[in-house]
Amino acid sequence: QTRATMLKSQWEPLANAESGRRSWSVIQPQGPRKPQYFCCGNACGCCPPYILFLPVLGLVAYLLGLLGLLLTLVVVLILYVVLGCCGCSLCCYSETWKCPPFYWFTDLHPKIMYLVYQAIFYSHKIPTTSPEDMPVDKIKPKQKLDKQKISYALNIKVPNRFKEEFIDDPPPIKDRLSQFVAERISLIPQIDHFEAFAPDEDPVEFVMNQMNSIYPEIYQVWDEKLSD
């Protein structure tokens, strides 16, 4: 019997009540009620056959999990032996940012963002309309571009930068690597730091010194403008 047939035979008496067919909201399960632990059934007179094999299945799952754990430990150990020294050196390098004259009391997230943006900022080339930057043979045919959502935006989608014309296809490895890091860097835990400035310390000067290498160049100056 299918589930629909079983339900029909179960609720048939209620459907022929004097008031006509009843809605699902007034139909009640048949009694007496009893607890359901998903162990008993009509098969074999007491329970489904697979219940009898649960200890064997549990043993197999346990052995597979133990094997997977051992393999994971071996892989982690190999990675630590090969890359552990480099990783520890990078961690120590990031901690030295707190020392003078830098005073970067931040966690790993803004440090990586700073280095990634700085690499993009100084490796970026301003294109021109010359044949070297915009060759005619690299004009791509008209097509619908793949879009992706902008992080921290309200459902705004833009085409991928790699769909731009006049660039290498496939894109250079550094572009793909920078996008991979930018899309997943938000997964790194972030910690807020609320250290106060000293009474004689200028916050604006401090930020300008910290952001000097990546702060956008201001090419317009208004003498009457006193703040941002």
Side-chain angles (χ1 to χ4, degrees):
Q1 287 183 320
T2 62
R3 178 177 175 84
T5 305
M6 294 175 63
L7 289 174
K8 181 179 179 181
S9 61
Q10 185 177 2
W11 307 121
E12 190 69 29
L14 295 176
N16 297 326
E18 58 183 3
S19 60
R21 180 176 294 275
R22 297 184 182 183
S23 64
W24 287 101
S25 58
V26 298
I27 294 177
Q28 300 295 327
Q30 293 180 348
R33 298 190 182 188
K34 56 183 179 180
Q36 171 67 282
Y37 298 107
F38 303 96
C39 297
C40 301
N42 297 326
C44 300
C46 62
C47 61
Y50 52 81
I51 297 295
L52 303 176
F53 296 96
L54 284 182
V56 178
L57 295 176
L59 179 60
V60 173
Y62 168 75
L63 294 177
L64 291 177
L66 183 61
L67 179 60
L69 179 61
L70 293 176
L71 292 177
T72 302
L73 292 176
V74 170
V75 172
V76 171
L77 180 60
I78 293 175
L79 291 177
Y80 185 80
V81 171
V82 176
L83 304 175
C85 183
C86 296
C88 293
S89 300
L90 290 176
C91 290
C92 294
Y93 162 69
S94 66
E95 289 298 317
T96 59
W97 291 28
K98 300 178 181 179
C99 302
F102 311 111
Y103 299 107
W104 264 67
F105 293 96
T106 57
D107 52 354
L108 191 59
H109 180 273
K111 293 176 182 178
I112 295 179
M113 285 291 295
Y114 181 87
L115 293 177
V116 171
Y117 185 81
Q118 185 173 251
I120 297 175
F121 184 81
Y122 285 98
S123 63
H124 177 69
K125 177 184 177 183
I126 300 178
T128 63
T129 56
S130 62
E132 290 76 15
D133 293 331
M134 297 184 178
V136 178
D137 58 343
K138 283 193 175 183
I139 297 179
K140 298 180 180 179
K142 184 179 180 180
Q143 59 179 328
K144 186 176 180 179
L145 302 179
D146 297 331
K147 298 180 180 179
Q148 62 181 9
K149 291 184 178 180
I150 301 178
S151 301
Y152 308 106
L154 185 60
N155 198 25
I156 299 177
K157 295 183 178 181
V158 296
N160 196 307
R161 176 181 176 273
F162 302 148
K163 297 296 182 178
E164 178 63 58
E165 295 182 316
F166 310 116
I167 64 174
D168 297 332
D169 192 13
I173 183 64
K174 65 179 183 66
D175 291 343
R176 287 181 290 178
L177 181 60
S178 62
Q179 179 175 349
F180 178 85
V181 173
E183 291 176 351
R184 291 161 178 81
I185 196 173
S186 60
L187 301 177
I188 300 177
Q190 304 180 42
I191 303 175
D192 293 327
H193 297 268
F194 299 100
E195 290 80 1
F197 289 98
D200 57 345
E201 190 174 14
D202 187 351
V204 177
E205 183 181 0
F206 176 81
V207 174
M208 289 296 99
N209 291 333
Q210 301 285 43
M211 300 288 107
N212 178 56
S213 62
I214 61 174
Y215 196 82
E217 183 178 355
I218 306 301
Y219 59 91
Q220 293 178 330
V221 178
W222 292 279
D223 297 332
E224 68 277 7
K225 187 176 182 181
L226 304 179
S227 68
D228 293 333

